[in-house]
Amino acid sequence: AQSVTQPDIHITVSEGASLELRCNYSYGATPYLFWYVQSPGQGLQLLLKYFSGDTLVQGIKGFEAEFKRSQSSFNLRKPSVHWSDAAEYFCAVGDGRAAGNKLTFGGGTRVLVKP
Amino acid sequence: GAGVSQSPSNKVTEKGKDVELRCDPISGHTALYWYRQSLGQGLEFLIYFQGNSAPDKSGLPSDRFSAERTGGSVSTLTIQRTQQEDSAVYLCASSLVGGSNQPQHFGDGTRLSIL
């Protein structure tokens, strides 16, 4: 069964500093990988996705993620964090073998931004 | 707006009562998903609808949970004889079609509290 691990439950970063959120997955085939962001009281917003091709993918809000098959990782990065980036971030893997697209989510990483 | 709409946004009810949660997907989206987000369990897949196909109910936690999707559009998730452990945020998502390479678009969720 597929699984996703986000090792960091909380991360605190200063505004303007760089941010990296870790995501490790377990999946038997080529994974479909996603990063979502959730602000308080809201649903999940898609930041970026990886299906194939270039292993460095660009997303919205200045985020990027790099797929590393050898490390089973899909880490999310942002060079310079803004206060509005304070939120919870979820990594997810899609089940490529099923007809549907069940997403399996990691436990999330809550990001706090210090002024 | 053109996003996924869920109602009510908040629901408080007594243990043992039945509740209905509604999801209106993005127009034209044929795939619809329900997830549950709770403190102890994170984000869990509940059920998936794709067009006129039989739904994938593999994530429903008990027979107290059911869902239907009428006319291929609006969906209702029903929880009968609610229990305190049903307290969670219930998120609905839709995608243009089913499939692992289709990003899911989420609503803001219904926060359910069982007293």
Side-chain angles (χ1 to χ4, degrees), chain B residues 6-67:
Chain B
Q6 292 188 245
S7 61
S9 55
N10 287 282
K11 177 72 175 179
V12 180
T13 192
E14 294 179 345
K15 177 182 171 181
K17 300 287 189 182
D18 298 351
V19 295
E20 285 190 352
L21 313 180
R22 176 188 168 102
C23 173
D24 200 342
I26 293 173
S27 178
H29 281 197
T30 64
L32 186 147
Y33 309 79
W34 283 98
Y35 294 87
R36 180 169 69 174
Q37 185 175 26
S38 57
L39 284 177
Q41 302 298 323
L43 275 155
E44 305 171 279
F45 165 81
L46 295 177
I47 189 169
Y48 158 71
F49 295 90
Q50 170 58 58
N52 295 321
S53 302
D56 177 353
K57 305 179 182 180
S58 61
L60 295 179
S62 78
D63 58 7
R64 296 187 295 105
F65 287 72
S66 63

Side-chain angles (χ1 to χ4, degrees), chain A residues 12-90:
Chain A
T12 300
V13 61
S14 297
E15 191 168 14
S18 63
L19 175 68
E20 181 167 11
L21 304 182
R22 296 183 290 164
C23 172
N24 294 98
Y25 67 89
S26 172
Y27 187 67
T30 300
Y32 296 128
L33 295 162
F34 305 83
W35 274 101
Y36 284 86
V37 61
Q38 185 179 34
S39 297
Q42 297 187 7
L44 281 71
Q45 180 182 22
L46 180 67
L47 285 175
L48 47 78
K49 59 187 183 292
Y50 172 79
F51 298 146
S52 64
D54 193 348
T55 57
L56 184 63
V57 293
Q58 302 296 321
I60 63 171
K61 303 185 179 186
F63 284 92
E64 66 179 25
E66 186 171 13
F67 171 62
K68 293 186 177 180
R69 185 185 300 277
S70 62
Q71 298 177 18
S72 297
S73 69
F74 188 56
N75 294 349
L76 182 72
R77 298 193 293 255
K78 185 169 183 176
S80 178
V81 168
H82 187 261
W83 65 267
S84 60
D85 294 322
E88 190 157 19
Y89 293 79
F90 293 91

